[in-house]
Amino acid sequence: AVQEAINFLCGGIKKKQSINVLKAFNLLDNNENIDVKQSSYTKYFIDMLNKKPRGQVINRSEIIDEHDGRIEIDYHFKLEPEWIALLLLSMVHGGYIILSAGSNKIDAPELTAAKKFSIQELINFKHFQKPKDLPVNELKALFKLLSIPEGMISVEANQKDGLKQMLQKAYEKLQETVKAIHRIDGGIQCWGADLLDKNNKFREKLTDFKEFLEIISRYDTLPKLKNFTLSEEDIEKHYSSLKVIEEMKKLEEIAAELSSPVSYIVPAGEKLPSGHKLKEDIEEKRKEFFSDVSEKKADLQNKWMAELKKLKEEYIKEYLDFHKKYRLDTSGDHKKQNIMKSDVFKGLRDLAGVEMLEKGVFINLQNKIINIMTCYSLSSTEMEKNTHCPHCKLNPSELKDSPGVNILLDGYEIEMEKLYDDWINSIHENLSDPFVAESIKLVGSDEKKVIEDFLKTKELPAKTGEFVKIVNRVLKGLDKIEISMEDFKKSLSKGAGPCTLKELEDSFKNFIQAKVKGKEKERVRIVIF
């Protein structure tokens, strides 16, 4: 039980047995924290020591009756030596005495060393004495380091409040130091560069400072503070540690201020097409930033805020140019709508129902026109917060050197008009075929007139849908053979090397004959798509 209580006094684990022992001697407060002021046992020994002249000690023989070799007890309480050792250690913990045991002197800050002693060594203590007076000069140096007015320790009336401030400041600095040590592990990242110099002694200095602050935190009572052992030199060397923390704070401020423009420029650069000049400029600037960081160049913050601002302005200008080129504005969209409302477009849409024609050609062209995107809402103000258009999500890196939408739209319009002419001619040729003429004779007079008018004018009638039905009926006797361009090319390119004219003719002839095998050749109509 005594050993458990001693372990607890020396910073060990709080156990029920040790709590019960210390409570028995009234050495704990209501929160089960060690407090010797209320104990009549420790008060007796403190009063005994106070009656001694300054600098004198109380020897073991003045407390313990050592005359009977068989059993030892103290003169006043009649307690065995192990209990006296426990009471004296609790007084050491409170900073009221320094205990000599073996070759060691145990004071409050070094109390953990008592765990290394056997219970027998503590029982056989030599003597105990009062701590020294406050080492004012050393504590003034400490208060100055922690930015506390020196009068808070040099003036006795202020010392209690001064101690509170010291512990609070030490705690705050300890938290800052631990945070800074963890920051070193992750680095202070900005634009892919670590603003911390990994070859410096930041970690070593901060680790030393952390240990120093942990020692300071042990002096949590004025009696303990009398045992303060650090020299002015020990204290003043930690100004460099404070400088390290301030330097890291400054680097964090730089990283924080640059984070916003950097978080814009990085995705912006990714959205530019490969080989774009600005994309290359951004990469060159990033390398220059790395160089400035490694060389610890002055005015890093101001220089790169200006550089990043310039890159952002250039990107916004470039993106707006891309947007203008690859998205239809109101004028372009009006043209697109007119194309899709035109007679040519409507005619093609109806003629796509003619079974003899390749409908897929029109569907493909129609989709191309539909897929040309319109966006006229983007402003330069919106680009201040976005690296792409929030309305249409244009990503220039996906454009693959395609021409602008206005050029595409003009091309599709021409392609549409050509397809219209081709289909009109194809229908005209098939309706003019002698075999089809027989079928035309079989239709009604009104339907026959529609066909005859078309053959004369090559113009679609007003009711194009009815015309398509008539055409499909009269062309039904024809055999439609569809051949894809891919199959057509393959038929002409059999074999690895060059071929003679005859070989080419034979390949083509064999391919066509295979396609029309078993069909009446005069009724065959080949459609290539």
Side-chain angles (χ1 to χ4, degrees):
V2 177
Q3 187 64 60
E4 292 289 349
I6 288 173
N7 288 343
F8 176 50
L9 287 171
C10 297
I13 299 172
K14 184 189 291 187
K15 294 185 177 180
K16 185 176 181 180
Q17 195 172 23
S18 62
I19 294 299
N20 291 337
V21 170
L22 294 173
K23 278 184 176 179
F25 289 102
N26 201 20
L27 295 173
L28 298 177
D29 62 16
N30 294 333
N31 297 318
E32 296 188 347
N33 295 315
I34 299 165
D35 183 2
V36 302
K37 293 191 292 293
Q38 305 302 318
S39 173
S40 59
Y41 296 93
T42 55
K43 188 175 183 301
Y44 170 78
F45 292 119
I46 291 171
D47 290 343
M48 185 179 179
L49 187 57
N50 286 336
K51 293 173 184 176
K52 287 276 187 178
R54 187 72 185 173
Q56 289 194 11
V57 303
I58 292 181
N59 293 307
R60 185 180 191 274
S61 59
E62 296 178 62
I63 298 175
I64 305 294
D65 183 356
E66 301 175 339
H67 295 100
D68 189 342
R70 291 171 302 171
I71 185 169
E72 292 183 329
I73 57 173
D74 83 289
Y75 290 113
H76 185 75
F77 296 109
K78 307 304 180 184
L79 294 171
E80 294 173 337
E82 55 264 37
W83 301 112
I84 299 300
L86 174 65
L87 290 169
L88 294 179
L89 275 179
S90 70
M91 292 162 64
V92 170
H93 185 279
Y96 292 95
I97 66 170
I98 298 174
L99 180 66
S100 291
S103 60
N104 297 281
K105 286 189 175 183
I106 307 172
D107 59 15
E110 299 299 326
L111 188 60
T112 52
K115 288 191 289 187
K116 301 175 183 176
F117 304 149
S118 68
I119 185 70
Q120 199 60 43
E121 286 179 292
L122 295 173
I123 288 172
N124 294 326
F125 69 92
K126 293 179 181 178
H127 55 76
F128 62 89
Q129 65 192 83
K130 285 184 179 180
K132 298 173 287 186
D133 289 331
L134 284 177
V136 175
N137 289 334
E138 288 80 2
L139 290 172
K140 283 169 69 176
L142 173 62
F143 276 44
K144 185 177 179 181
L145 177 74
L146 297 176
S147 300
I148 304 171
E150 295 174 20
M152 296 302 293
I153 196 64
S154 60
V155 178
E156 187 174 354
N158 297 333
Q159 287 175 352
K160 188 175 181 180
D161 288 336
L163 174 64
K164 288 181 180 178
Q165 289 189 38
M166 181 198 82
L167 293 172
Q168 181 61 31
K169 287 282 188 179
Y171 174 78
E172 290 170 1
K173 292 295 181 188
L174 181 59
Q175 298 307 304
E176 284 184 26
T177 304
V178 170
K179 180 182 176 183
I181 291 172
H182 290 159
R183 200 74 168 101
I184 290 173
D185 294 333
I188 300 176
Q189 302 295 328
C190 183
W191 208 358
D194 188 352
L195 303 187
L196 283 176
D197 181 358
K198 293 297 185 183
N199 296 320
N200 61 31
K201 296 183 179 180
F202 278 14
R203 180 182 291 280
E204 182 181 341
K205 284 183 178 294
L206 293 175
T207 301
D208 288 346
F209 192 44
K210 174 177 174 287
E211 293 171 357
F212 166 78
L213 292 168
E214 289 171 340
I215 291 172
I216 298 302
S217 300
R218 297 175 195 166
Y219 295 97
D220 55 359
T221 66
L222 285 173
K224 287 182 182 180
L225 211 53
K226 291 179 179 180
N227 298 308
F228 192 79
T229 57
L230 297 173
S231 68
E232 291 182 57
E233 184 180 355
D234 292 334
I235 294 165
E236 288 170 355
K237 73 177 184 179
H238 290 293
Y239 278 103
S240 60
S241 301
L242 291 177
K243 187 177 178 182
V244 166
I245 292 174
E246 288 306 310
E247 187 176 340
M248 288 183 66
K249 283 183 179 177
K250 179 63 178 174
L251 292 174
E252 286 181 327
E253 287 174 8
I254 292 174
E257 187 166 354
L258 294 179
S259 66
S260 178
V262 165
S263 64
Y264 185 97
I265 287 300
V266 171
E270 291 171 355
K271 287 182 174 65
L272 291 169
S274 178
H276 192 281
K277 184 180 183 303
L278 181 56
K279 189 183 188 79
E280 294 173 353
D281 288 347
I282 290 173
E283 179 58 24
E284 287 303 313
K285 287 295 179 184
R286 190 178 71 88
K287 290 176 182 177
E288 185 182 337
F289 177 73
F290 277 29
S291 176
D292 284 359
V293 168
S294 63
E295 293 174 16
K296 298 186 183 312
K297 289 204 173 170
D299 206 23
L300 190 73
Q301 193 168 352
N302 290 334
K303 174 186 174 180
W304 283 100
M305 280 299 291
E307 291 284 3
L308 289 166
K309 181 182 179 183
K310 184 180 176 183
L311 288 174
K312 181 177 180 178
E313 289 171 350
E314 290 178 14
Y315 174 77
I316 291 174
K317 180 181 177 300
E318 289 294 323
Y319 188 90
L320 289 173
D321 287 344
F322 276 116
H323 194 273
K324 184 177 181 180
K325 182 177 180 181
Y326 292 102
R327 291 293 183 262
L328 295 174
D329 58 13
T330 51
S331 175
D333 186 65
H334 183 68
K335 180 177 180 179
K336 173 182 171 180
Q337 298 307 320
N338 284 341
I339 289 173
M340 297 187 72
K341 292 175 184 177
S342 68
D343 292 338
V344 171
F345 185 87
K346 292 176 181 177
L348 285 171
R349 185 179 56 202
D350 290 337
L351 291 177
V354 175
E355 295 174 4
M356 186 59 64
L357 300 176
E358 181 49 49
K359 180 180 179 180
V361 178
F362 169 70
I363 297 298
N364 184 47
L365 181 56
Q366 176 183 244
N367 289 338
K368 286 179 181 179
I369 296 172
I370 291 171
N371 289 334
I372 293 180
M373 292 188 69
T374 298
C375 183
Y376 41 80
S377 303
L378 181 63
S379 67
S380 56
T381 303
E382 288 177 308
M383 287 303 296
E384 288 290 335
K385 295 181 180 180
N386 300 281
T387 57
H388 62 261
C389 175
H391 310 289
C392 69
K393 318 296 184 191
L394 173 68
N395 187 343
S397 67
E398 300 173 352
L399 296 175
K400 299 179 181 178
D401 297 325
S402 62
V405 288
N406 288 299
I407 295 174
L408 283 176
L409 193 59
D410 289 341
Y412 295 153
E413 185 176 22
I414 293 170
E415 191 176 336
M416 188 178 69
E417 289 170 351
K418 183 179 183 301
L419 179 62
Y420 181 85
D421 290 341
D422 288 346
W423 277 10
I424 291 294
N425 289 330
S426 178
I427 294 172
H428 190 276
E429 287 175 8
N430 279 286
L431 290 176
S432 302
D433 189 281
F435 287 97
V436 177
E438 296 300 321
S439 297
I440 294 173
K441 291 177 183 179
L442 299 177
V443 300
S445 58
D446 291 342
E447 293 175 337
K448 187 184 298 182
K449 185 175 187 310
V450 169
I451 296 294
E452 289 173 348
D453 288 345
F454 172 76
L455 289 173
K456 290 176 184 178
T457 63
K458 280 192 178 181
E459 291 181 3
L460 293 177
K463 296 181 179 181
T464 314
E466 291 299 319
F467 173 75
V468 169
K469 292 178 183 178
I470 298 168
V471 169
N472 281 333
R473 274 207 306 277
V474 298
L475 295 181
K476 205 163 189 179
L478 300 179
D479 256 328
K480 174 183 166 185
I481 304 294
E482 294 183 333
I483 300 175
S484 70
M485 284 300 297
E486 190 64 28
D487 288 343
F488 187 67
K489 289 177 182 176
K490 286 180 182 178
S491 72
L492 300 179
S493 58
K494 289 182 179 178
C499 63
T500 64
L501 179 60
K502 186 175 187 311
E503 288 172 335
L504 183 64
E505 289 174 347
D506 289 344
S507 294
F508 179 70
K509 184 178 179 182
N510 292 335
F511 173 73
I512 295 299
Q513 286 179 348
K515 288 288 182 181
V516 300
K517 186 177 181 181
K519 300 185 182 296
E520 193 174 338
K521 292 180 183 179
E522 288 78 8
R523 293 185 176 276
V524 168
R525 296 295 181 268
I526 294 177
V527 177
I528 298 177
F529 63 97

